[in-house]
Amino acid sequence: MKHLKVVFILAAVIGLSACQSKVEYGDATEVETVNENFGSTDLQAIAAKMVDSMLTFPPVVAITANDRPIIFVDKIKNKTSEHIDTESVTDSISNKLLRSGKFRFIDMTKVDSVRKQLDYQNNSGMVDPSTAINFGRQIGAQYMLYGNLSSIVKQDGSTKDVYYKMTMRLMDLETGLIEWSDEKEIRKVKSKSFLGL
């Protein structure tokens, strides 16, 4: 009976020690291949490709040679079958373009907040009128940057093939002309061994 208690306690201790987890910091730019779903490496590759393509495209180089055009970036549309944080993709592209020093941005996601603040400043009676910012003084965007992320998923037995395609366009809002367009493709293949691992 005493031996059974000792064996049970040892089994419990071994079981608990085997279940412990460890958390470490990793390199955010390291290739991530946990599974075949859209991940951080895909996001970084798409953002880098799109920004490099746009900044080196001759008509865009000409547009930004003597001016910093104002762009509004529309949230990238997720046309895949999986949940993807396309806002994060949009933010990465916007940040890279802004840091290039070639463009200025209007943040359309904050228009309602700005409107509320301007209404408060101009109509609440609580703000000194000489310091209140007037309505109708904002500068309009000259260009709109927008895009789609789509995927094709195929599975045959133990092999799963996932193809992603990101397409982006830069439109001149005055003329409606597309000044730049490009796409980035990513393919991932997942194969299971005969043991299912």
Side-chain angles (χ1 to χ4, degrees), residues 102-171:
K102 300 288 186 181
F103 297 95
R104 293 176 290 166
F105 287 84
I106 292 175
D107 189 349
M108 294 303 294
T109 65
K110 297 300 176 192
V111 169
D112 286 338
S113 297
V114 170
R115 185 179 293 121
K116 286 177 186 172
Q117 176 58 212
L118 292 178
D119 186 53
Y120 168 77
Q121 288 186 24
N122 288 282
N123 300 320
S124 69
M126 298 179 69
V127 176
D128 181 345
S130 67
T131 64
I133 295 172
N134 295 322
F135 279 103
R137 303 295 304 253
Q138 291 189 8
I139 298 172
Q142 299 161 280
Y143 298 92
M144 177 173 75
L145 184 63
Y146 61 99
N148 298 312
L149 180 61
S150 57
S151 68
I152 299 171
V153 179
K154 292 195 173 187
Q155 187 152 6
D156 182 22
S158 62
T159 302
K160 184 175 183 181
D161 183 278
V162 184
Y163 166 84
Y164 294 101
K165 183 171 82 168
M166 173 72 163
T167 305
M168 291 201 77
R169 293 184 174 93
L170 179 68
M171 177 193 287

Side-chain angles (χ1 to χ4, degrees), residues 13 15 18 24 43 48 53 63 69 71 73-74 86 91 94 97 122 128 135-136 144 146-147 174 193:
V13 169
E24 295 177 340
L43 185 152
S53 172
I63 290 168
I71 293 182
V73 182
D74 196 17
T86 54
D91 288 345
S94 297
L97 285 171
N122 288 282
D128 181 345
F135 279 103
M144 177 173 75
Y146 61 99
E174 185 175 7
S193 71

